[in-house]
Amino acid sequence: MREERKLLRQQQIEDAAYEVLEAKSFGGASMQGIAKQAQASNETLYNWYGDKLGLFQALVRRNAEEVREHLEAELESDHDALSILSTLGPKLLALLTGDRAIALNRAAAADISGELGATLSKEGREAVFPLLEKMFLRARDEGAITFEHTGEAVALYLDLLIGDQQIRRVIGRLPQPSETFCQERSERTVKLLCQLLG
């Protein structure tokens, strides 16, 4: 029960961190401000996260968790690769263009140390890309698509799915996409992928 309480408290703190981040940006966010918003002690935040950067790194990891877990579970299943990509696409697009990911990307751009950006890359793209490569190798083994270089095939998929959606969200030029948009764009991506690599 104690561990459950800690996990719930961490969720509350991390929710508060997003609220402060969206209101004050990365530069204006402080551990004290986040602790106040979460009705937690400064000591708790420093004990659990180390410092502000550690807290935001935890946010990055948690934000990417659902997509990684989905991919890992699907790789253990016997579902065909294109079906998996069809169910993954809306989740991945919603994650990358959601308010939390956009707030984290803006924070990374404001972090002059570059450490938050490095965490975004490590916990996001660098963690998901190898799983996608395995998925693409399965698709090739199943005869659904053909390609020579796995990394290039995965990059094509990501380009088709995401395009400039995330950067346009980061600079405030697009609203958060709807569930319907994410679903339709994912279907279009798989269709185009098959046309280009079929």
Side-chain angles (χ1 to χ4, degrees):
M1 188 65 176
R2 188 175 175 186
E3 186 62 25
E4 287 177 16
R5 278 201 303 270
K6 181 179 177 181
L7 290 172
L8 177 62
R9 197 69 187 112
Q10 284 177 320
Q11 186 61 59
Q12 292 167 340
I13 289 168
E14 290 167 18
D15 287 345
Y18 277 116
E19 290 170 18
V20 172
L21 179 62
E22 288 170 7
K24 299 193 172 185
S25 77
F26 184 70
S30 68
M31 291 292 267
Q32 184 175 2
I34 294 165
K36 184 178 178 183
Q37 182 73 21
Q39 297 180 344
S41 69
N42 282 343
E43 183 181 2
T44 297
L45 267 69
Y46 282 105
N47 284 340
W48 286 356
Y49 301 102
D51 57 13
K52 182 172 89 167
L53 185 59
L55 171 55
F56 283 97
Q57 287 172 335
L59 299 183
V60 170
R61 281 189 289 277
R62 179 120 10 161
N63 203 41
E65 212 167 41
E66 183 185 353
V67 167
R68 281 200 314 272
E69 288 176 355
H70 176 80
L71 259 176
E72 286 166 353
E74 289 289 11
L75 281 165
E76 295 295 320
S77 77
D78 59 358
H79 300 148
D80 70 89
L82 291 185
S83 296
I84 295 170
L85 288 176
S86 294
T87 61
L88 171 72
K91 289 179 183 290
L92 186 55
L93 187 57
L95 167 75
L96 294 174
T97 58
D99 287 341
R100 290 189 165 189
I102 298 310
L104 288 168
N105 275 275
R106 288 175 178 157
D111 172 27
I112 58 172
S113 76
E115 289 184 48
L116 189 56
T119 300
L120 267 175
S121 180
K122 179 182 174 190
E123 300 294 335
R125 185 180 181 96
E126 291 170 36
V128 170
F129 206 90
L131 298 173
L132 284 170
E133 286 182 318
K134 289 181 182 178
M135 194 63 61
F136 270 70
L137 290 171
R138 179 186 288 191
R140 187 172 67 183
D141 290 344
E142 292 168 350
I145 53 177
T146 60
F147 53 84
E148 187 174 345
H149 301 290
T150 314
E152 289 177 5
V154 173
L156 175 63
Y157 168 75
L158 293 174
D159 287 346
L160 291 170
L161 179 67
I162 302 157
D164 64 353
Q165 297 290 307
Q166 188 182 51
I167 190 64
R168 289 170 69 197
R169 284 275 291 131
V170 168
I171 63 173
R173 302 308 301 156
L174 277 183
Q176 183 170 342
S178 67
E179 189 176 324
T180 301
F181 175 88
C182 291
Q183 184 64 47
E184 290 174 351
R185 189 167 175 106
S186 177
E187 290 169 5
R188 170 183 167 271
T189 295
V190 173
K191 183 179 177 182
L192 288 172
L193 194 70
C194 290
Q195 289 174 0
L196 293 167
L197 302 180

